[in-house]
Amino acid sequence: MLRAALPALALAFGIAVPGTAALAQKAEKPSLTLGVGGKPLLYYLPLTIAERKGYFKDEGLDVTINDFGGGAKSLQALIGGSIDVVTGAYEHTIRMQAKGQDIVSVIELGRFPGIVLVVRKDKAATYKSVADLKGAKIGVTAPGSSTNFFVDFLLAKQGLKPDDVSFIGVGGGASAVAQMKRGEIDAMANLDPVITKLESDGDVSVLADTRTEEGNQKIFGGTNPAAVLYLKRDFVTENPVTTQKLVNAFYRSLKWLATASPEDVAKVVPEDYLLGDRALYLAAVKASQPIYSRTGVIPESGMKNALNMLVEFDPELKSAKIDLSKTFDGRFVAKSAETIK
């Protein structure tokens, strides 16, 4: 009784209740499965915040999270129908449109990719720039993932092709750190806290860094949307209330992250995310704080930058007619912004 009366009481006294309108409606699919590729990565921190702070439960959702080895595997699971939604890279919505798959993002979680390309310190004299990477063994979270696309783009800008290097899937956690330390790869594109760990230990030199506005301007010419929540358009059409509730939960995460300190974040995430070094994790969070979206809205300029990046190295996209307006449905985040203060 009391729980049911809370929204009405809150409205009567002018108190903002997150997702009040959506809470009044029942989700068409209250139990669903979400895919992600490397959940401990700070790239996906808004997901962990939504999960750990109970934002999904507040919306009446029971979300099972499947953590895959990389974003490409999450996408495959979505296309195959074994999961319902994905927290993954925006680029996949563009690439799937070219393949005739109608995949749409509904909230931007990252406005910068946060991906960093590094080389082993003992190889820094050989690989002084991206142009020198021909023949190198390069670690990525998974082949076909956003980290892979990032390297493909940098190579293309230097006149190199993807097959001029060897890509090796290393994941996004302790295994990635270990493979770099063991000398199994020459270079790696990965994210925090992996990158900050390797930098702190003096194992790597940075070639390209997208964690800052300056870095993105230099590499892409502006913002480049990173992590988003994306779904099949059929799911959005058939489950609009469920979609709104998911967006509400993620929007609350972004609002929380906008004012949270690294210490606040460390208190919320699982202990194993700290990689055994709390101080290092705090440094990684601080380094990655600029990457998170402020509004949840993907700007048109960001969509264009993402497409331009993909066209640089993907022959299929050079000839494809891409309608960027179909890659992002902003109705849900606009509603979240109205109801969540």
Side-chain angles (χ1 to χ4, degrees):
M1 287 287 291
L2 179 60
R3 183 178 178 85
L6 281 175
L9 286 170
L11 288 173
F13 287 96
I15 302 170
V17 174
T20 300
L23 279 171
Q25 296 177 281
K26 187 176 179 182
E28 304 90 351
K29 192 176 176 63
S31 296
L32 63 158
T33 304
L34 180 149
V36 62
K39 186 168 171 283
L41 292 168
L42 290 175
Y43 187 89
Y44 294 120
L45 182 58
L47 168 61
T48 297
I49 298 303
E51 174 201 26
R52 302 282 288 191
K53 291 189 69 67
Y55 295 158
F56 292 130
K57 290 183 179 178
D58 288 349
E59 294 289 336
L61 299 176
D62 179 14
V63 178
T64 298
I65 299 173
N66 282 2
D67 192 3
F68 297 90
K73 295 179 181 179
S74 297
L75 175 64
Q76 290 167 6
L78 181 73
I79 299 299
S82 61
I83 60 174
D84 300 300
V85 299
V86 172
T87 305
Y90 167 72
E91 301 101 273
H92 293 306
T93 65
I94 298 175
R95 296 187 78 244
M96 288 301 101
Q97 187 180 133
K99 296 177 184 297
Q101 296 279 353
D102 200 356
I103 304 296
V104 61
S105 57
V106 288
I107 182 171
E108 178 189 68
L109 305 177
R111 60 188 184 134
F112 306 150
I115 301 170
V116 184
L117 176 63
V118 296
V119 296
R120 265 174 40 209
K121 257 296 172 50
D122 62 350
K123 294 276 188 177
T126 302
Y127 303 121
K128 296 178 182 178
S129 68
V130 174
D132 299 324
L133 288 175
K134 188 171 184 178
K137 290 185 289 185
I138 303 177
V140 293
T141 53
S145 65
S146 58
T147 51
N148 196 155
F149 296 157
F150 178 62
V151 179
D152 286 343
F153 169 67
L154 294 177
L155 292 172
K157 288 182 72 175
Q158 299 298 324
L160 297 174
K161 298 176 182 177
D163 56 10
D164 284 328
V165 302
S166 299
F167 287 108
I168 299 167
V170 297
S175 64
V177 173
Q179 289 186 61
M180 178 61 84
K181 285 180 173 291
R182 288 196 299 260
E184 295 174 9
I185 49 180
D186 303 310
M188 179 168 66
N190 219 298
L191 305 107
D192 274 327
V194 169
I195 294 299
T196 295
K197 169 66 175 171
L198 291 169
E199 283 186 292
S200 176
D201 291 350
D203 295 316
V204 297
S205 294
V206 174
L207 289 187
D209 190 339
T210 67
R211 290 174 295 187
T212 66
E213 189 163 356
E214 181 184 4
N216 280 265
Q217 188 67 42
K218 180 180 179 181
I219 296 168
F220 303 117
T223 63
N224 190 331
V228 297
L229 177 69
Y230 67 76
L231 321 81
K232 290 181 179 179
R233 193 176 299 275
D234 288 348
F235 183 98
V236 177
T237 302
E238 295 166 11
N239 304 281
V241 177
T242 304
T243 302
Q244 184 65 63
K245 288 175 177 290
L246 283 167
V247 173
N248 286 346
F250 279 109
Y251 188 82
R252 288 181 69 189
S253 289
L254 294 179
K255 294 280 284 185
W256 186 86
L257 282 168
T259 58
S261 67
E263 290 80 5
D264 293 332
V265 172
K267 289 175 184 176
V268 174
V269 302
E271 185 68 26
D272 61 343
Y273 283 21
L274 309 186
L275 294 177
D277 190 333
R278 185 182 181 84
L280 174 115
Y281 187 80
L282 295 176
V285 172
K286 185 176 181 180
S288 292
Q289 278 179 323
I291 75 173
Y292 303 111
S293 180
R294 302 294 191 257
T295 63
V297 176
I298 305 177
E300 186 178 344
S301 60
M303 297 183 198
K304 290 179 179 177
N305 284 338
L307 177 59
N308 291 340
M309 178 188 77
L310 293 170
V311 167
E312 191 77 33
F313 65 85
D314 192 331
E316 186 177 4
L317 282 170
K318 286 182 180 178
S319 58
K321 292 183 179 179
I322 299 297
D323 183 350
L324 289 173
S325 68
K326 291 182 178 179
T327 64
F328 176 61
D329 185 339
R331 294 174 298 161
F332 299 95
V333 74
K335 193 169 184 180
S336 294
E338 289 176 5
T339 57
I340 300 171
K341 304 300 180 183

